[in-house]
Amino acid sequence: MSSTSRENVAEDLDLLDRKLKQLRNEYEQYFLGSRPREPLLLRGEVQKLVGYYSNVPIRNTALRFRFNNLTSRFFAFRRQWERVLRQIENGTYERHVFRARLHERKPPAGEPAPEVANPVDQVYEDYLRARRECGEDVKGLSRERLRDILDRQGEAIRQRYGCKEVRFRVVVEGGKARLKASAVGAAKSG
């Protein structure tokens, strides 16, 4: 960053763009719980580049425009991250609230799970809630359609693994709601 030739500025803006994308991904992972700590080191590097070029005149109009776009994107992300961090501190962050509700329903280790009147209804409600909280579309997914999907997948898993039962649960991975299946009572091979 010592010289402000056009090539160096362009390279630094490419670097800033890459780091900003990486920073956004790392914050998403942090908010989902995949990452144990906030990515402060990378955020500092991005902040340093933004601070440096904020105080250096960029004579090329196209490069100045690109820098301004990257800077405004960084500040918008920063506001969003700070809002989410406040929500996490206050215990109102929706993804964490959803996870907490799921954990509240789980019985302590060693205790049998309470029987649900209709497991498909519970999976359906959990799946809809998770999709809404992740900002995904819930239109077109009826209880009957989900039941058909689970029946087909369950039968395929029972045949493949020779199990008596298949249980489905809702998980959030990569910011998206997913259904996970577990084979129960699988036949032992060998």
Side-chain angles (χ1 to χ4, degrees), residues 44-178:
E45 292 173 12
V46 170
Q47 184 71 43
K48 186 177 175 182
L49 274 169
V50 168
Y52 177 79
Y53 280 105
S54 293
N55 296 318
V56 170
I58 300 175
R59 303 210 189 286
N60 183 301
T61 307
L63 293 176
R64 172 54 69 182
F65 180 78
R66 183 169 181 219
F67 171 73
N68 288 338
N69 280 337
L70 290 170
T71 302
S72 64
R73 192 169 4 140
F74 171 65
F75 288 130
F77 287 151
R78 198 171 73 176
R79 280 191 302 274
Q80 177 188 0
W81 298 329
E82 288 168 359
R83 180 179 46 82
V84 172
L85 288 169
R86 277 193 307 274
Q87 288 175 346
I88 290 172
E89 286 176 13
N90 296 332
T92 58
Y93 183 52
E94 284 301 315
R95 289 182 183 162
H96 287 200
V97 171
F98 172 72
R99 238 188 223 163
R101 286 185 195 135
L102 283 178
H103 288 297
E104 285 173 5
R105 281 202 302 262
K106 287 183 181 175
E111 288 185 24
E115 287 299 314
V116 177
N118 186 345
V120 173
D121 289 340
Q122 188 64 53
V123 169
Y124 178 74
E125 295 300 325
D126 290 346
Y127 190 55
L128 283 181
R129 186 179 314 112
R131 287 183 64 110
R132 281 189 196 106
E133 290 178 2
C134 290
E136 296 179 65
D137 184 26
V138 295
K139 294 177 185 171
L141 181 65
S142 67
R143 195 176 306 267
E144 292 74 29
R145 182 167 177 232
L146 181 67
R147 181 175 287 120
D148 290 342
I149 292 169
L150 296 182
D151 286 346
R152 276 184 303 203
Q153 288 181 353
E155 185 57 35
I157 291 169
R158 279 191 288 279
Q159 287 178 359
R160 181 173 181 186
Y161 294 104
C163 61
K164 297 176 184 175
E165 183 184 348
V166 177
R167 291 191 189 140
F168 291 92
R169 70 186 195 289
V170 178
V171 297
V172 176
E173 293 178 343
K176 295 188 183 259
R178 301 275 185 241

Side-chain angles (χ1 to χ4, degrees), residues 4-11 60 63:
T4 57
S5 73
R6 211 159 101 190
E7 293 80 24
N8 289 344
V9 172
E11 288 173 11
N60 183 301
L63 293 176

